């Protein structure tokens, strides 16, 4: 399956006319990301998502309260119904502040969901980009084992929690470096981090960045949609250039095993 659309800047859009207009006019938009409630709103308003001139990536990275309404089978049915090209499915909240036993239990449930539903996504030709979850290498290893069993080599990492309370950029960078060394993914997509100035610090396996930073650089509410599209294209090219640099982490020259 061709996954070139999962590289570069991937705008996370909402059910707004100005977002759809910009997507249709920007030259560099190969894919857009929608979470379930925005995608459902567009679907209910008879917007044919399959006709958007970009690949559609659904994501389950939504608020914990809204996430309670979704389960793997519903995710599959909805993705098939709207013609999604890829999905980040089955998210379950795992926080570093949780007790270790709670994190392990949640991750085991998460990977059980993946094992149950991923083969059906694959049968429907919907690419699955699973989230790496876990504070410790053991916890993340539960994910890696499931990914390997399912033949998944492209992964995603949700970054928003590193900036919800304070600015923990260094902690995020270290976590991504560890994932890169532990699992050696073919590609990794960051969700919620699109800084054109910092993303070149990440390992070369990070090839995609999804989020809403694009709104700061090409707000379609300010001025014409055509001008916003031009600003978006300029910014998107900056992100893509930064992603092609990639920095091998210093730990690459040592054995990664033994991290707590």
């Amino acid at each position: 399956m061709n996954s070139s659309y999962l590289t570069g800047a991937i705008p996370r859009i909402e059910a707004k006319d100005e977002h759809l207009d910009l997507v249709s006019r920007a030259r560099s938009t190969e894919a857009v990301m929608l979470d379930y409630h925005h995608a459902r709103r567009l679907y209910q308003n008879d917007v044919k998502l399959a006709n958007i001139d970009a690949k559609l990536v659904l994501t389950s990275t939504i608020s914990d309260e809204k996430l309670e309404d979704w389960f793997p089978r519903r995710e599959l049915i909805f993705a098939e119904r709207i013609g999604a090209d890829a999905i980040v499915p089955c998210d379950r909240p795992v926080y570093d502040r949780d007790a270790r036993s709670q994190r392990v239990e949640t991750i085991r449930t998460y990977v059980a969901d993946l094992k149950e539903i991923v083969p059906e996504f694959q049968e429907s030709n919907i690419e699955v980009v699973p989230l790496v979850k876990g504070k410790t290498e053991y916890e993340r290893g539960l994910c890696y084992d499931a990914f390997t069993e399912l033949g998944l080599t492209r992964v995603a990492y949700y970054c928003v929690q590193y900036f919800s309370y304070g600015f923990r950029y260094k902690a995020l960078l270290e976590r991504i470096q560890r994932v890169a060394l532990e699992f050696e993914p073919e590609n990794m997509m960051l969700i919620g981090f699109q800084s054109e100035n910092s993303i070149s610090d990440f390992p070369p396996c990070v090839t995609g960045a999804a989020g809403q930073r694009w709104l700061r650089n090409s707000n379609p509410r300010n001025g014409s949609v055509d001008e916003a599209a031009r600003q978006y294209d300029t910014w998107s090219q900056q992100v893509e250039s930064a992603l092609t640099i990639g920095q091998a982490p210093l730990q690459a020259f040592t054995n990664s095993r033994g991290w707590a």
Side-chain angles (χ1 to χ4, degrees):
M1 183 182 296
N2 183 357
S3 300
S4 62
Y5 61 87
L6 294 176
T7 64
I10 303 168
R12 185 165 179 163
I13 66 172
E14 299 176 0
K16 297 179 180 179
D17 290 340
E18 59 266 27
H19 288 200
L20 297 174
D21 288 344
L22 187 144
V23 167
S24 67
R25 301 193 194 196
R27 296 192 305 272
S28 57
T29 303
E30 292 191 49
V32 297
M33 177 173 282
L34 274 166
D35 54 38
Y36 297 151
H37 61 286
H38 282 293
R40 184 173 59 179
R41 189 179 307 162
L42 290 171
Y43 178 79
Q44 292 173 339
N45 291 335
D46 293 325
V47 175
K48 303 301 182 184
L49 294 171
N51 294 335
I52 294 178
D53 190 22
K55 298 291 186 179
L56 174 59
V57 183
L58 282 178
T59 181
S60 59
T61 53
I62 56 181
S63 66
D64 295 351
E65 295 77 14
K66 293 178 179 177
L67 192 58
E68 293 178 356
D69 295 332
W70 293 87
F71 48 90
R73 180 67 50 185
R74 187 184 184 195
E75 293 178 84
L76 172 66
I77 292 171
F78 183 63
E80 291 176 331
R81 182 177 298 158
I82 67 174
D85 297 283
I87 190 167
V88 181
C90 303
D91 188 22
R92 286 180 175 268
V94 178
Y95 300 105
D96 285 0
R97 65 177 181 269
D98 293 339
R100 182 180 185 275
S101 59
Q102 180 181 349
R103 295 196 308 266
V104 170
E105 180 181 358
T106 302
I107 293 170
R108 283 178 172 159
T109 302
Y110 165 65
V111 299
D113 287 342
L114 289 178
K115 291 178 182 180
E116 173 188 352
I117 205 67
V118 165
E120 297 191 52
F121 277 115
Q122 293 169 332
E123 288 178 6
S124 297
N125 205 34
I126 299 171
E127 179 161 10
V128 174
V129 187
L131 290 161
V132 176
K133 308 186 78 69
K135 179 179 180 180
T136 68
E137 185 174 357
Y138 171 77
E139 294 163 13
R140 294 188 294 273
L142 298 173
C143 296
Y144 304 152
D145 290 345
F147 301 165
T148 299
E149 179 179 332
L150 294 165
L152 302 174
T153 60
R154 299 177 178 88
V155 302
Y157 195 87
Y158 189 62
C159 307
V160 174
Q161 66 268 29
Y162 288 86
F163 306 101
S164 299
Y165 303 97
F167 185 82
R168 298 193 295 133
Y169 169 74
K170 290 184 178 179
L172 172 62
L173 178 59
E174 180 182 348
R175 180 66 56 84
I176 298 302
Q177 289 175 335
R178 291 189 175 190
V179 171
L181 291 170
E182 292 164 358
F183 184 59
E184 298 181 354
E186 180 180 350
N187 299 103
M188 184 185 297
M189 175 173 59
L190 303 184
I191 301 177
F193 188 82
Q194 290 185 307
S195 172
E196 67 277 16
N197 298 316
S198 303
I199 207 163
S200 60
D201 295 341
F202 287 79
C205 65
V206 175
T207 57
Q212 290 195 317
R213 187 180 177 90
W214 65 277
L215 286 170
R216 297 171 53 183
N217 297 275
S218 53
N219 193 335
R221 288 184 178 273
N222 298 330
S224 70
V225 175
D226 287 337
E227 176 59 27
R230 284 192 291 270
Q231 293 173 352
Y232 173 84
D233 285 331
T234 298
W235 170 80
S236 177
Q237 290 166 9
Q238 292 173 347
V239 174
E240 185 171 353
S241 296
L243 284 167
T244 61
I245 298 173
Q247 301 294 319
L250 293 178
Q251 295 96 325
F253 301 103
T254 64
N255 191 331
S256 68
R257 295 296 174 188
W259 276 324

